[in-house]
């Protein structure tokens, strides 16, 4: 399995760094086998999404 590109980012601009990281992350994740997300992980992600959307809609809200 080929690894991520190892050349350095020659620009220190945030956009260049973001592109570099995005390319490497896509390479790494594309090489992973596609498997379903376990139900416990899916439930946790749904809970985090709900909590995050509540914070965005009401930044002063507190968690239980």
């Amino acid at each position: 399995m080929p690894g991520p590109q190892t050349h350095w980012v020659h620009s220190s601009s945030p956009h260049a760094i973001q592109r570099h990281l995005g390319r490497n992350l896509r390479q790494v994740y594309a090489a992973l086998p596609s498997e379903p997300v376990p139900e416990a992980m899916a439930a946790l992600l749904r809970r985090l999404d709900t909590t995050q959307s509540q914070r965005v809609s009401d930044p002063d809200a507190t968690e239980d």
Side-chain angles (χ1 to χ4, degrees):
M1 163 173 85
Q5 296 174 2
T6 57
H7 67 275
W8 291 94
V9 177
H10 297 288
S11 170
S12 61
S13 78
H15 189 65
I17 293 169
Q18 183 179 13
R19 282 194 321 265
H20 176 77
L21 291 174
R23 276 193 305 269
N24 287 326
L25 286 171
R26 280 190 293 280
Q27 260 187 327
V28 169
Y29 281 103
L32 294 176
S34 179
E35 296 183 19
V37 175
E39 181 53 37
M41 180 65 77
L44 177 60
L45 291 171
R46 286 190 299 270
R47 184 174 171 201
L48 290 170
D49 283 342
T50 300
T51 301
Q52 182 62 31
S53 61
Q54 287 173 349
R55 285 184 179 173
V56 169
S57 64
D58 186 3
D60 295 327
T62 58
E63 289 188 48
D64 294 343

